Amino acid sequence: MRSSKFLILSGLVLSAAVFQGQQKTYDWVPQEPHSYRIGPGYASGVAVYTPRGAEAIHVRLDVEARQPFSVGVVRLEDWNHAVRNPDRLSRLDYACLTEEVTQISYSCNFYADSEARVVVVRDARSTDHPVVTGVAAPFVQNGVNQVFANDIRVTSYRWSCVSHCDQPDPPQFAWVNLSKDKYEITPALKSYGPFTPEDESEPVRIQVKSQTAMTVAVVSRSQAEELSAHPEQAREILERSACRRSGVQSSTLECTLEKIDGAMQVVLLPETETGRKKKAEVTISTVACVENCVK
């Protein structure tokens, strides 16, 4: 067993090892561009992004115009309110706001978000009477004085397969829990497992939150038996662990389990005498295939 700082990379290596030869690849693919004509002070909703389940929202657009504009992303609900009440335009809360440009490759990401978003392009020229166009509002394509018109071209991008699309999707890896526990701390050693790698080596992550300092270690079967037989020598035995950390209260320990070492156990031992009702939480996880797995 060896200490590891690059466990996510190990998952990627496993993925590459499973799929050899030609693989399906993805990239941003431009969609059909759209052109708009707006005037001074106009704010136009040009693209709506609606999340699908827990999937992240990734906004990617190319925008260019004759006159300076600002671009940002707002909640669709807030935008719809502004459509009905244009005086609220100045109070919109923009994410990823970029101001007074004439050309931009624009991007904005929202992770684990369930709210729909709209990309808003605003003409940067001042006016006493703001006008709302586009999404959920009457769009003014014509009727803008040619002298004051600002012609805007918007090209959106979609994440899509670009080569070898007949191949199966590559496996996706993520951290999955092996054990999760919350308990009241006692002087006794706490043990979890045994955990045996299915492959030649597997990463393990141990996340601990404790109200008192703990020693956290990964031990072999023989060391676990020794701890059971001689609990009074626990600290000396844990010193021989190749993956351990002392003084842990809120920390993460990462190691790699080797199949050649056999079954391993995770142990936690308080370093000082504890009062009543002090608690600890421990989560033990590993990297495993979660989608498109090869049997």
Side-chain angles (χ1 to χ4, degrees), residues 87 148 158 172:
D87 59 315
F148 301 105
R158 178 170 55 90
Q172 302 296 314

Side-chain angles (χ1 to χ4, degrees), residues 63-225:
V63 187
E64 54 183 306
R66 291 171 52 192
Q67 301 289 341
F69 63 87
S70 299
V71 58
V73 182
V74 301
R75 294 170 62 244
L76 181 59
E77 182 180 358
D78 294 342
W79 171 252
N80 288 336
H81 286 317
V83 167
R84 295 187 292 269
N85 302 278
D87 59 315
R88 295 187 180 183
L89 283 172
S90 61
R91 301 198 297 272
L92 286 174
D93 184 17
Y94 286 89
C96 308
L97 179 62
T98 301
E99 299 184 283
E100 298 197 19
V101 295
T102 56
Q103 184 174 355
I104 187 173
S105 291
Y106 182 79
S107 63
C108 191
N109 298 319
F110 299 90
Y111 295 98
D113 199 313
S114 60
E115 294 184 303
R117 309 279 172 159
V118 56
V119 181
V120 177
V121 174
R122 297 182 303 172
D123 188 281
R125 295 168 293 177
S126 61
T127 180
D128 294 331
H129 303 286
V131 178
V132 182
T133 70
V135 177
F139 194 85
V140 184
Q141 182 68 29
N142 300 308
V144 178
N145 189 304
Q146 180 68 31
V147 176
F148 301 105
N150 190 3
D151 292 320
I152 296 178
R153 182 181 175 90
V154 178
T155 303
S156 63
Y157 287 78
R158 178 170 55 90
W159 186 254
S160 181
C161 180
V162 294
S163 67
H164 308 304
C165 299
D166 58 335
Q167 298 295 317
D169 287 318
Q172 302 296 314
F173 292 84
W175 288 102
V176 295
N177 289 345
L178 298 173
S179 181
K180 189 171 185 177
D181 189 23
K182 183 175 183 179
Y183 65 95
E184 188 170 318
I185 300 171
T186 68
L189 180 143
K190 192 77 170 176
S191 178
Y192 300 91
F195 304 114
T196 304
E198 294 183 4
D199 298 309
E200 292 304 314
S201 63
E202 287 185 7
V204 64
R205 170 187 285 174
I206 308 155
Q207 297 171 293
V208 177
K209 292 183 179 180
S210 172
Q211 293 178 318
T212 189
M214 309 281 281
T215 294
V216 183
V218 179
V219 300
S220 64
R221 182 185 297 274
S222 61
Q223 289 172 325
E225 293 173 351

Side-chain angles (χ1 to χ4, degrees), residues 1 196-197 199-201 257-264:
M1 178 179 59
T196 304
D199 298 309
E200 292 304 314
S201 63
L257 304 184
E258 304 290 349
K259 193 168 187 177
I260 193 173
D261 294 330
M264 308 293 286

Side-chain angles (χ1 to χ4, degrees), residues 243-258:
C243 181
R244 71 180 185 281
R245 184 172 296 168
S246 301
V248 172
Q249 285 194 264
S250 181
S251 187
T252 299
L253 176 63
E254 298 182 354
C255 307
T256 298
L257 304 184
E258 304 290 349

